[in-house]
Amino acid sequence: MEFSCGFVYVPPAVSQKNGQQSNVIKRSALLPPVNRMRPRSPPPPPPTNSAEAKSPKPLRPLLKVIEQLEKIKDVKKPVKSTVFYENEEFHNKPEASPTPPRRTALLPPHMKPSSTRHSPPYSQPFDSSSTNSQAFTYDLPKDEPDSNSSLWDPNYSYTTPEGTGGEVKPPTDTNNGSTKALVPPLPPRPSFMKSMPLYLVLLPTSQSSPSSPQKTDSPLIPSPKDKSPLSGNPNVLLVSLGKLLSEERGQITQGEPTSCSQCGSVLDSGHKNVKDCYFCGSWEPHSPLTGHRDGLFSLCPDEKPLGAADPLLLLCIDISGSMSITAEVSEGENVVHKSRLQIVQEAVLQCVQRLSELQPGMRVGLITFSYQVTMHGNEIFTSHSLSNAELIDSNFLKEAAASFPTPPPLSQTREYLQKQVMGLSEGGTTALGPAALLSIAIASRQPGSKVIICTDGKANTELGNLEVEDLDACTLLSSTIFYQKLGLYAANQGVTVSVLSIEGTDCRLDELGRLADRTGGTVVIASPNKLHSEFEHIIENRTIATHCTVTLLLPQSLLMRGEREAGHKVTREVGNVDPDTEITFQFGASEQNTEVLAPASGSHVSIQLQIRYRQRRGRTMLRVITADREVTDDSLAALSSLSLAIVQLNSSQASAALAVRGRFLDARREGELQRKLIERAIEHNSSAEDHQTYQEWVKTMEPIYNNIHNFTRRKSVVSDTQSLTDAGAALLYAMKHSNRKSISQKNEHKL
């Protein structure tokens, strides 16, 4: 398995949760402390007459305020405590010392002292080493508690930054007959700050003064933009199933491994206490995990392997009346008109000829459908057709498939099969549903077999009818369920189903494509000139494993993202695997779960991948891979180690999976978040290769961003939902099952 990032990235706000936070933003001195106290006396009552309310009262000069504070020392008015007021014990406690503490205060301009008006009771001269603020000190009354000493708030700022004041005269100390300034004169205020009061200032986020920023030429110190949290999610895991399952390994452990009874994680064989599971949360997130780094197990060593017979290939061809429609086909410099059936016949004949040369042992069967379904035989056994009521009962169709003989190798049947293909004629309705079920049932005899359905129209017989979408919602729902169950049946039997339609037709690929989506097949719309190459591409993509399920286990401090169920464990049914199969997962720290602490930056977490699959010979295997990853909240380090190809592949797969389910806005939002992450990584790394990869990905995601409305058909009369057109369904199914190789080849063809 491969990770898109060299670390497990956790945003700083999450990694510092419930811990000591750095880079704290200072609160303004004008705001009260967080742990503020209620006043000891209620506020004054509102004015009784309107004249008194309208007439503004003059502000009391500073001298009167200070005189009132001095009088409080001698005159104390008892206040009866009520339930409304808090901190009663705090206000009623005895004095700690006879000498009252001193207090620093900030005053607005209208209360600013003037040296010519009076001599305020300042007792401390200005100390430039301790503060640069516009402040004065006064004696605190004995009965007034000092909130600064008892309730200290580290986020409270008691100073005013330099460079924000105006052209004012500082207060002076006249107690000793001198004019010693308590604060240094402030520089002139900028023009845009003339209208701002002196006590309204902007506090900088850093310790240094904004007028003298700290400069550095060191490339190791990132800019504030680089340190900001990342948009999108760089925590992506890529699993190249084709590569992992085709690797040859020497040592295979026989039997089931030791696993946790709760989450199923594979533990070390020498670990006796299975209750102490790292992934269940019993261990701390930074503790090392004792388990298999990379192990391969044969789960059922006593089961008998299957024979070495080659898998089956079933060609399910539409010969309904619509296949007689002609299309233009290029033959060298000439353009001729051929029927759709003639185009399909030529493509099938070329594939049969090529397969007989390259894989003469492959067994190829032919099934055609119109108003009836025909299983074509050979020189040994005759063909058999089903029609009318026989095409309605699913159980009867499965029994008929079981009684039909398995086709012999192609080396024995090539000529007879070619004659049958050339003798096909079109006519009748489209019994696609029964033909698909019959083909899958025959192919299920050998795991790894393939079924290719080639059609030009919607199924319009009772079983699997797709032509009643605007008239009968119940029939459409039953057809949707039919194709879903048929896809599950094919996947359980190890059969891959691909759907191939002809350009310019409407087959309801959004529903029919469920067969391919569930079994790992492809959905293709081919032009008449490229039909043969599409057949060959599907046939050459062989199946290397079946019944594949992938399980990813994370510690409880991390959660899966983009899955149907959020949690620290996910199991995904893959089904059939070919050499190019690649799947991706997203994960990250939980930003909402306050019960589980996020992993701290610098710690390590373990991630375990389990792949259960069945080989073509029938043996059930389990591969377990455990990796340790370092956690970081440094966005610069995450960007430097980011693999854009993996992030882009995950974005394509995740967005397409959402769009296939009709969640178009969520698909666009998912792609937009990852796009911001990719653009920031390109800007940071300045790599020409990354820029080229980004351009390819943008072309792939163009339908998600801008043209999704071109791939949706009108709303149904019986439902308020929009369905995908054939072009939209084929595109999104291809994106959902894409890999890095297919994306690169697709953009090369565009160029």
Side-chain angles (χ1 to χ4, degrees):
M1 57 182 178
E2 304 174 52
F3 291 87
S4 63
C5 183
F7 306 87
V8 173
Y9 175 74
V10 178
V14 180
S15 64
Q16 297 171 4
K17 182 177 61 176
N18 298 332
Q20 184 177 3
Q21 297 184 1
S22 60
N23 302 327
V24 176
I25 300 177
K26 295 294 185 180
R27 289 167 55 89
S28 170
L30 300 176
L31 297 177
V34 177
N35 299 323
R36 53 186 177 272
M37 299 175 295
R38 289 186 179 274
R40 294 175 298 169
S41 60
T48 55
N49 51 46
S50 59
E52 182 181 357
K54 293 181 179 179
S55 60
K57 294 184 178 180
L59 297 175
R60 293 183 299 176
L62 177 63
L63 183 60
K64 292 184 179 181
V65 176
I66 299 176
E67 289 178 356
Q68 184 177 3
L69 294 175
E70 293 292 341
K71 292 179 181 180
I72 298 178
K73 298 181 179 179
D74 302 326
V75 182
K76 297 183 179 179
K77 295 182 180 181
V79 179
K80 185 177 180 181
S81 60
T82 62
V83 181
F84 175 79
Y85 300 105
E86 298 179 355
N87 301 326
E88 180 180 0
E89 297 180 358
F90 179 84
H91 294 296
N92 296 333
K93 67 179 182 180
E95 297 178 0
S97 61
T99 303
R102 309 188 71 79
R103 185 171 180 176
T104 302
L106 290 171
L107 295 178
H110 62 272
M111 300 179 64
K112 184 174 55 181
S114 175
S115 59
T116 61
R117 286 159 50 184
H118 62 278
S119 298
Y122 302 133
S123 59
Q124 276 190 339
F126 174 77
D127 185 5
S128 60
S129 63
S130 60
T131 179
N132 292 329
S133 62
Q134 182 179 345
F136 72 95
T137 57
Y138 63 93
D139 293 332
L140 192 69
K142 295 181 180 180
D143 60 339
E144 183 174 345
D146 185 5
S147 60
N148 290 339
S149 60
S150 59
L151 299 174
W152 174 256
D153 184 7
N155 296 338
Y156 190 86
S157 175
Y158 296 88
T159 62
T160 304
E162 297 180 3
T164 58
E167 299 179 89
V168 296
K169 295 182 178 180
T172 57
D173 186 4
T174 60
N175 290 340
N176 299 326
S178 62
T179 59
K180 183 177 181 180
L182 292 180
V183 294
L186 298 176
R189 305 173 69 192
S191 58
F192 67 90
M193 295 182 62
K194 292 292 185 180
S195 61
M196 293 179 60
L198 296 181
Y199 54 88
L200 260 178
V201 295
L202 300 176
L203 296 180
T205 56
S206 61
Q207 296 289 346
S208 61
S209 173
S211 59
S212 58
Q214 186 178 3
K215 296 182 180 180
T216 178
D217 296 332
S218 174
L220 299 178
I221 302 178
S223 63
K225 181 179 179 181
D226 290 332
K227 284 187 175 182
S228 61
L230 298 177
S231 300
N233 184 19
N235 300 314
V236 178
L237 173 65
L238 169 68
V239 183
S240 300
L241 290 173
K243 178 181 177 181
L244 291 175
L245 302 188
S246 60
E247 289 179 348
E248 296 292 337
R249 298 184 54 83
Q251 184 178 0
I252 300 177
T253 304
Q254 302 295 327
E256 291 275 354
T258 304
S259 60
C260 174
S261 59
Q262 296 183 6
C263 67
S265 62
V266 176
L267 308 175
D268 186 13
S269 57
H271 196 77
K272 301 299 182 182
N273 187 7
V274 296
K275 294 183 180 180
D276 293 337
C277 175
Y278 171 85
F279 299 101
C280 288
S282 300
W283 294 355
E284 295 297 328
H286 58 269
S287 301
L289 172 62
T290 303
H292 291 276
R293 300 292 100 179
D294 191 352
L296 184 62
F297 302 87
S298 178
L299 301 182
C300 302
D302 297 334
E303 63 182 351
K304 296 181 180 180
L306 300 177
D310 290 334
L312 302 176
L313 173 62
L314 273 296
L315 302 176
C316 188
I317 307 300
D318 184 0
I319 58 171
S320 62
S322 59
M323 292 293 287
S324 61
I325 299 175
T326 60
E328 293 183 353
V329 180
S330 299
E331 291 186 351
E333 298 180 355
N334 300 323
V335 177
V336 297
H337 289 78
K338 295 182 179 180
S339 68
R340 293 172 180 172
L341 181 58
Q342 288 177 327
I343 297 172
V344 173
Q345 287 173 324
E346 293 179 1
V348 171
L349 290 175
Q350 295 179 41
C351 290
V352 170
Q353 180 64 34
R354 183 174 176 82
L355 282 174
S356 64
E357 298 172 358
L358 301 178
Q359 303 181 46
M362 177 172 285
R363 303 168 185 266
V364 180
L366 177 64
I367 294 178
T368 58
F369 60 92
S370 57
Y371 68 94
Q372 62 181 5
V373 179
T374 302
M375 298 176 287
H376 293 266
N378 48 50
E379 296 176 348
I380 302 176
F381 53 87
T382 58
S383 302
H384 182 62
S385 298
L386 303 175
S387 60
N388 299 327
E390 296 174 330
L391 302 179
I392 300 176
D393 190 354
S394 298
N395 293 328
F396 177 82
L397 292 173
K398 291 181 180 180
E399 294 176 358
S403 61
F404 193 75
T406 302
L410 192 57
S411 58
Q412 304 176 17
T413 61
R414 177 181 61 85
E415 295 181 358
Y416 193 86
L417 182 60
Q418 290 176 339
K419 291 180 181 180
Q420 288 181 323
V421 172
M422 291 301 298
L424 298 177
S425 60
E426 62 271 14
T429 55
T430 309
L432 190 152
L437 174 57
L438 203 61
S439 302
I440 294 172
I442 296 175
S444 64
R445 301 172 186 176
Q446 184 69 30
S449 299
K450 291 181 178 293
V451 172
I452 302 178
I453 301 175
C454 183
T455 183
D456 73 332
K458 302 175 185 178
N460 53 18
T461 57
E462 183 170 348
L463 191 62
N465 193 339
L466 295 175
E467 211 172 49
V468 291
E469 53 183 312
D470 293 337
L471 301 176
D472 188 356
C474 295
T475 304
L476 178 61
L477 178 60
S478 63
S479 298
T480 300
I481 296 174
F482 168 77
Y483 289 111
Q484 288 178 342
K485 290 184 176 180
L486 188 57
L488 180 61
Y489 170 69
N492 291 336
Q493 301 298 321
V495 177
T496 303
V497 182
S498 295
V499 180
L500 184 58
S501 68
I502 302 175
E503 191 177 52
T505 62
D506 185 8
C507 307
R508 281 304 303 267
L509 292 181
D510 58 328
E511 296 292 343
L512 194 58
R514 298 177 189 271
L515 295 174
D517 182 42
R518 184 62 185 85
T519 61
T522 58
V523 180
V524 181
I525 300 177
S527 63
N529 292 324
K530 296 183 178 180
L531 192 61
H532 166 247
S533 60
E534 296 294 348
F535 265 109
E536 286 193 344
H537 177 72
I538 295 173
I539 295 172
E540 291 174 356
N541 201 15
R542 61 186 180 88
T543 302
I544 62 175
T546 62
H547 304 83
C548 179
T549 60
V550 179
T551 301
L552 186 64
L553 283 162
L554 306 171
Q556 289 196 352
S557 57
L558 300 176
L559 292 177
M560 299 300 307
R561 294 183 180 178
E563 302 294 332
R564 294 181 182 271
E565 296 182 3
H568 71 107
K569 176 185 177 181
V570 63
T571 299
R572 189 180 297 180
E573 299 284 344
V574 179
N576 304 311
V577 177
D578 59 58
D580 296 328
T581 301
E582 292 181 340
I583 61 174
T584 56
F585 297 91
Q586 272 195 44
F587 63 93
S590 174
E591 301 180 5
Q592 299 179 352
N593 188 2
T594 58
E595 299 179 357
V596 180
L597 294 179
S601 180
S603 63
H604 288 76
V605 295
S606 295
I607 298 175
Q608 187 173 101
L609 178 71
Q610 300 179 8
I611 308 174
R612 293 176 182 266
Y613 61 98
R614 185 175 298 175
Q615 295 178 337
R616 290 179 55 185
R617 298 291 301 274
R619 287 200 305 175
T620 304
M621 309 296 292
L622 169 65
R623 186 167 184 181
V624 181
I625 303 175
T626 306
D628 293 334
R629 310 296 294 176
E630 182 181 354
V631 180
T632 185
D633 59 2
D634 187 359
S635 58
L636 182 65
L639 290 174
S640 301
S641 62
L642 195 64
S643 172
L644 296 188
I646 297 178
V647 175
Q648 292 167 357
L649 176 62
N650 170 259
S651 179
S652 300
Q653 293 180 349
S655 300
L658 292 170
V660 164
R661 302 204 300 266
R663 298 171 57 182
F664 302 119
L665 294 179
D666 292 338
R668 187 173 301 174
R669 190 180 300 112
E670 169 68 24
E672 182 66 20
L673 287 175
Q674 296 300 77
R675 183 186 64 83
K676 293 179 180 179
L677 173 65
I678 294 170
E679 290 179 350
R680 184 171 173 184
I682 293 176
E683 180 182 0
H684 172 76
N685 298 325
S686 301
S687 172
E689 182 181 356
D690 289 344
H691 183 73
Q692 178 64 26
T693 306
Y694 173 70
Q695 295 299 329
E696 296 175 356
W697 177 74
V698 168
K699 296 177 183 178
T700 303
M701 295 294 292
E702 181 68 19
I704 298 293
Y705 285 142
N706 302 322
N707 300 329
I708 194 64
H709 59 275
N710 294 335
F711 300 110
T712 55
R713 64 177 82 237
R714 63 182 179 85
K715 293 184 179 181
S716 173
V717 174
V718 296
S719 64
D720 194 33
T721 59
Q722 285 183 323
S723 59
L724 292 169
T725 61
D726 280 6
L731 176 66
L732 293 178
Y733 281 129
M735 289 177 59
K736 184 179 178 182
H737 295 276
S738 61
N739 51 61
R740 291 171 293 181
K741 178 181 176 182
S742 64
I743 292 178
S744 178
Q745 291 178 347
K746 179 179 179 181
N747 289 287
E748 287 178 1
H749 293 160
K750 286 184 179 181
L751 297 176

